Amino acid sequence: MTTIQTVGVCGAGTMGAGIAIVAARAGYRTVLYDTNAKALDRAKGQTEAFLAKSVERGKLTQAQVDTALAGYKTTDTLDGLAECDIVIEAVFENLAVKQELFGKLNDVCPEHTLFASNTSTLSITQIASGCGREDRVVGMHFCLPAQLMKLVEMSPGLNTSDTSFAAAWAFCEALGQKPVKTKDAPGFILNYFLVPFNNDVIRLIEAGVAEPADIDRAIKAGLGYKMGPCELLDLIGLDTQVLLCDAFYGVTHDPRCAAPPLLHRMVAAGHLGRKSGRGFFSYDTDKMYGA
Amino acid sequence: MVSYSIVDTGDSRSFPEDHPFLAGSGAEGEVVAYIGAGAISAWQEDLSRTAILVELHTETLGEVTGESRGEEGSNTIGFSRFRVGDGAPSDLVELVRQPHTDPAALEAARMVLEGAGLQVSECFDFAGRILDRLIRPYYNEALAKLDEGLATADDMDLTVKLGLGYPEGPIELLERTGLHHHHDVTQALFEVYGTRHYAPARRARVAKKRAKRGLS
Ligand SMILES: NC(=O)c1ccc[n+]([C@@H]2O[C@H](COP(=O)([O-])OP(=O)(O)OC[C@H]3O[C@@H](n4cnc5c(N)ncnc54)[C@H](O)[C@@H]3O)[C@@H](O)[C@H]2O)c1
């Protein structure tokens, strides 16, 4: 079985930066790769700030943080990933981009290197297709924000070998994360349930059944959810919800996955949620949620 | 404080046990609340009251008051304290109004319920109100995906707890509260809306058949 010492992360955006923190914090040598140098600088800065906060909060010792940062590197060339035992990609959610990346990585990385994809909506089997090591590709879907959320949905593609999947699973546990196993199916578990549920909420508002505040109160008080669906949609971003709908409807043709007309109208009106100051609710601050 | 009286027709799903709402009622009041399984039949129009509350289960308010031209609405308001199957009632009451419901009646009903420590969400008169309409398709999907082997029941439950912060996963919740009840609620919704997402999932149908034979 692959012994993992060095972890590569592709894409230094929201997810990649967080996943790299998880790997470095768990003591792995970590290489973060992006073609955009600014994204790398931002991720490095966020990582240092996050780890410093973890010391303040008593979650990590300064010595642990020093070790994590000593083993943390960034690179803007693929060759920088040549030493990795596993590479987790969190680049743009685009099949061609991910396929091309794995194809190139196949030439750069040693035989034993596992490839993992953090895709939310694409098929692991399709991402792996043609990369040259289909048996060593797994799905590893982290949750936002990766450095705080323990859950990882793990899925084997149709060609993934049992040993590769087992090695990736053991690695995920060694990261201190909590893996769950799902089939390589659209949205895995979380998004498969969440995206159409949120659409149903939008349709209820559109049909005039109830106001967003009443729906959120009902969900929180009736079911004990921490956040109401309208609040959550405003946080996810209504434009992102459209992208999720398009991705899922395209593969499932399930009417619940289709973007409701009200969602399109809100996006067209610039009501994107927290990021634009207005979605189902209004926000008079551009502070990040929870900040 | 709004005074209220209760007409208890027995077997209330909303108030199966002692509750400040029951304790706070008097002999006569500005508001009267019909509770229990026979609430709809016992309901009587009374325009001298500020509000009349009628407990609903899978029924709609229109079945109580009648409907006409989309202009229905009076001092009668539907309500249901949300609970799933045999689970304990939550603190959430869905208050059901019609297009022309008297705002003073709504306000009085809200004050009575909030005064008893409950939270209130208002909605218009559609089958399933807010919560059943939203969660039942999700529960059906979870049951269907369990059949299809998307993941184990434990992994599905764990995923929504860790990933979405839900207090309980769909499979454990349905098994705890009685899967056959999910059948009854979804069957009623399916009859109204006709879309497959409301059709009771296979596992719920099996549970219902067994429940009919007195088995759990
Ligand atoms: N944002 C979320 O909530 C979330 C949650 C789980 C999974 N995901 C998945 O994670 C992935 C990344 O999402 P994100 O929100 O972090 O995106 P993002 O746009 O914040 O970051 C993507 C980064 O990838 C870089 N990139 C793009 N193509 C590249 C390439 N070929 N090589 C190297 N770098 C490249 C970009 O420069 C950018 O910095 C997507 O697959 C997404 O579906 C996102």
Side-chain angles (χ1 to χ4, degrees):
Chain A
M1 201 139 94
T2 312
T3 310
I4 293 169
Q5 291 181 326
T6 305
V7 178
V9 179
C10 294
T14 315
M15 290 307 294
I19 295 168
I21 291 176
V22 172
R25 185 176 58 193
Y28 291 98
R29 278 200 299 271
T30 304
V31 188
L32 180 61
Y33 161 72
D34 200 299
T35 44
N36 180 343
K38 277 200 191 121
L40 288 172
D41 287 345
R42 193 174 49 228
K44 182 122 209 286
Q46 286 170 340
T47 302
E48 286 162 355
F50 179 84
L51 292 175
K53 262 259 169 332
S54 302
V55 175
E56 271 175 40
R57 294 198 173 127
K59 308 241 180 209
L60 295 177
T61 64
Q62 187 58 49
Q64 285 172 312
V65 169
D66 292 343
T67 311
L69 288 176
Y72 182 98
K73 277 195 305 195
T74 61
T75 176
D76 61 3
T77 62
L78 264 188
D79 291 339
L81 299 172
E83 309 278 295
C84 294
D85 304 303
I86 185 167
V87 176
I88 306 168
E89 74 74 20
V91 299
F92 296 143
E93 186 71 342
N94 176 297
L95 181 61
V97 171
K98 290 186 194 286
Q99 281 178 329
E100 188 189 333
L101 177 71
F102 277 176
K104 285 187 186 160
L105 272 175
N106 189 48
D107 297 332
V108 170
C109 294
E111 272 297 296
H112 70 269
T113 305
L114 298 170
F115 291 173
S117 173
N118 184 49
T119 182
S120 301
T121 64
L122 301 167
S123 151
I124 302 305
T125 310
Q126 280 183 295
I127 290 171
S129 178
C131 79
R133 61 176 79 194
E134 288 86 335
D135 57 324
R136 280 152 283 167
V137 179
V138 301
M140 270 184 99
H141 183 244
F142 289 74
C143 296
L144 178 74
Q147 64 275 25
L148 297 179
M149 301 284 283
K150 290 277 169 231
L151 181 74
V152 180
E153 291 172 280
M154 299 210 39
S155 4
L158 284 183
N159 289 318
T160 308
S161 72
D162 291 347
T163 44
S164 299
F165 190 74
W169 184 277
F171 164 67
C172 186
E173 289 182 325
L175 284 175
Q177 299 294 110
K178 179 69 200 138
V180 293
K181 185 179 180 187
T182 93
K183 279 189 182 169
D184 176 21
F188 310 114
I189 301 172
L190 207 62
N191 281 314
Y192 182 81
F193 291 147
L194 187 64
V195 171
F197 179 87
N198 284 341
N199 282 343
D200 286 349
V201 168
I202 299 168
R203 288 195 187 91
L204 220 59
I205 296 166
E206 185 161 32
V209 177
E211 298 286 332
D214 285 291
I215 294 176
D216 277 15
R217 189 179 313 111
I219 291 280
K220 287 193 279 188
L223 293 160
Y225 292 9
K226 293 204 181 89
M227 200 187 255
C230 299
E231 255 180 294
L232 180 60
L233 274 163
D234 276 355
L235 186 62
I236 294 169
L238 301 192
D239 50 345
T240 304
Q241 178 72 6
V242 171
L243 294 177
L244 289 166
C245 289
D246 290 350
F248 289 145
Y249 186 71
V251 269
T252 62
H253 292 281
D254 178 350
R256 284 180 73 228
C257 290
L262 174 62
L263 180 64
H264 282 302
R265 288 203 298 277
M266 290 179 74
V267 170
H271 302 181
L272 306 182
R274 280 184 173 266
K275 64 175 122 175
S276 74
R278 182 168 174 192
F280 290 105
F281 303 108
S282 291
Y283 306 87
D284 53 9
T285 156
D286 57 4
K287 249 174 54 179
M288 240 173 111
Y289 182 77
Chain B
M1 277 282 284
V2 179
S3 60
Y4 61 99
S5 58
I6 288 176
V7 178
D8 188 350
T9 65
D11 291 332
S12 169
R13 272 190 60 76
S14 291
F15 296 103
E17 286 173 359
D18 289 348
H19 190 275
F21 175 73
L22 301 179
S25 69
E28 270 297 305
E30 297 159 65
V31 173
V32 58
Y34 290 88
I35 69 169
I40 291 181
S41 314
W43 172 83
Q44 285 183 345
E45 189 170 68
D46 181 355
L47 296 176
S48 71
R49 307 273 186 170
T50 312
I52 302 176
L53 282 163
V54 193
E55 182 176 350
L56 303 173
H57 180 32
T58 55
E59 309 87 356
T60 57
L61 182 57
E63 293 167 42
V64 181
T65 62
E67 302 184 328
S68 173
R69 300 166 52 85
E71 291 170 2
E72 55 275 2
S74 63
N75 64 343
T76 294
I77 290 163
F79 84 95
S80 176
R81 187 171 165 207
F82 181 72
R83 67 189 283 203
V84 183
D86 295 327
S90 69
D91 281 343
L92 192 275
V93 174
E94 292 168 307
L95 211 54
V96 182
R97 59 164 300 173
Q98 291 164 317
H100 288 255
T101 295
D102 179 3
L106 272 172
E107 190 51 34
R110 180 184 283 276
M111 283 173 72
V112 163
L113 292 162
E114 288 179 350
L118 296 161
Q119 296 196 52
V120 173
S121 279
E122 226 176 79
C123 63
F124 280 83
D125 187 26
F126 295 91
R129 298 176 288 271
I130 299 171
L131 285 168
D132 278 329
R133 190 142 169 213
L134 288 177
I135 60 170
R136 299 298 171 171
Y138 153 55
Y139 294 160
N140 271 339
E141 280 293 355
L143 293 169
K145 288 293 145 183
L146 186 58
D147 275 354
E148 290 172 23
L150 175 68
T152 63
D154 281 349
D155 274 358
M156 257 192 240
D157 287 340
L158 189 63
T159 298
V160 301
K161 286 188 282 188
L162 288 184
L164 297 170
Y166 294 179
E168 202 173 13
I171 307 299
E172 56 190 347
L173 179 141
L174 288 171
E175 296 209 339
R176 175 176 65 79
T177 58
L179 201 43
H180 58 293
H181 293 304
H182 175 68
H183 171 277
D184 294 345
V185 175
T186 44
Q187 185 60 38
L189 289 170
F190 183 56
E191 280 165 21
V192 175
Y193 295 111
T195 60
R196 72 175 170 84
H197 304 103
Y198 287 114
R202 187 197 67 80
R203 283 176 185 276
R205 289 183 195 276
V206 169
K208 177 66 180 177
K209 286 186 179 157
R210 286 176 56 84
K212 276 188 186 158
R213 284 164 44 217
L215 304 167
S216 64

